[in-house]
Amino acid sequence: MDAGMSGGREDGGGGGAAVVRRSEAGEGVVQREEEQEEEGDEDLRDGGVPFFVNRGGLPIDVATWERMWKHVAKIHPDGEKVALRIRGATDLPKIPIPSVPTFQLSALIPERLEAIQRYIREFQYNHTGTQFFEIKKSRPLTGLMDLAKEMTKEALPIKCLEAVILGIYLTNNMPTLERFPISFKTYFSGNYFSHIVLGVNFGGRFGALGISRREDLMYKAPTFRTLSELVFDYEEAYRRCWHTLKKVKLGQYVSHDPHSVEQIEWKHSILDLEKLGREDFRKELERHSRDMRLKISKGIGPPSPTKDRKKDVSSPQRSQSCPHRRNSRTERRPSGEKKTTEPKAMPDLKGYQIRV
């Protein structure tokens, strides 16, 4: 998922519909990749390299475990030797479990974000080619928060999509901080790469939380005056590793209610750089920023109780039960085109049980 490396993809999973197709075969490949992303399976390929997801939960079952090591032997420069060396070692050090950051009420939001980013980095980037936590983007927010809580307990290496879910979980108790997903699709050396970070907005300044194989493709302090400045900073980081940014997907603000049965809106705006041109691309980024701001000011954005906005609680694990809220997702608009807002039905919760 990290676009910065020639053999890996940026952290989320891979299409590349921004390029003009020269053949039906090329169109078919991109269409399949887009379908995988819609289904939450975008990690099936990683910059052209097969990529696996642990769908059996934890502890990892034998079949998934053996498949992981077989894949490591294929993709690692030392091949099977590295797998044999690690699996045969008897003196491997015990890896400490990072402590979930807690804050005093006087701690400033930027300081909290830095602490959360340090915590996310302590998990380390997952280079095994097997994602340990299955992230279904269609799951209700409450289910994804349960998964994030499990991540904090297991402390296994993560990729970018897992880091976004973890970032949401750790910032739920900061109602003055708005969060929204930002996805990138890039092109390098014949392959398409995808990456995702958690955009943040505090006091009118933009930044981001996340994880990547490259230092400049994850955390951004909330110092950018506009959303376009933040996105262009990522674009410049991609240029430094010879990647061409093709498409950016922007979600809406995420609810602060950890018990919400809403789904995260991952792709409210889909911006194709080649179709838009640079100036129109910048305008569409700012239009999306205004849309999010207006939804908050009109009270139709993510539920962030007014009284909670006055005072942050000290720990991300401290939350109170809230009644379920209706899904208020809107249709996404590709390449800057607006679509009329249509209410969507509640997500199918049949068979889903909220764990306390």
Side-chain angles (χ1 to χ4, degrees), residues 23-124:
S23 67
E24 293 182 0
E27 292 178 355
V29 170
V30 173
Q31 181 179 358
R32 286 194 298 274
E33 290 177 337
E34 293 289 349
E35 289 172 352
Q36 288 174 0
E37 184 168 342
E38 291 292 338
E39 296 168 0
D41 292 341
E42 66 256 42
D43 289 341
L44 293 177
R45 297 199 71 80
D46 188 4
V49 179
F51 182 80
F52 300 104
V53 177
N54 169 34
R55 304 188 187 282
L58 297 172
I60 299 175
D61 59 58
V62 174
T64 302
W65 184 250
E66 294 301 327
R67 183 187 64 184
M68 181 190 76
W69 285 109
K70 185 177 179 180
H71 187 57
V72 167
K74 287 182 179 179
I75 63 177
H76 196 277
D78 292 337
E80 195 171 331
K81 292 180 181 179
V82 68
L84 294 175
R85 183 171 68 249
I86 295 174
R87 301 186 74 178
T90 58
D91 58 346
L92 291 175
K94 185 176 181 180
I95 305 299
I97 295 179
S99 299
V100 178
T102 58
F103 310 100
Q104 296 182 353
L105 294 178
S106 59
L108 301 176
I109 293 296
E111 295 174 354
R112 298 185 184 200
L113 291 176
E114 289 184 10
I116 289 172
Q117 181 62 38
R118 287 195 297 270
Y119 174 72
I120 291 175
R121 292 188 63 166
E122 286 187 66
F123 282 69
Q124 300 188 23

Side-chain angles (χ1 to χ4, degrees), residues 50 109 112-113 115 120 128 136 183 210 274 300 316 331 342 354:
I109 293 296
R112 298 185 184 200
L113 291 176
I120 291 175
T128 67
K136 291 184 177 180
S183 301
E274 289 190 347
I300 59 176
E331 293 288 337
E342 296 179 2
I354 297 179

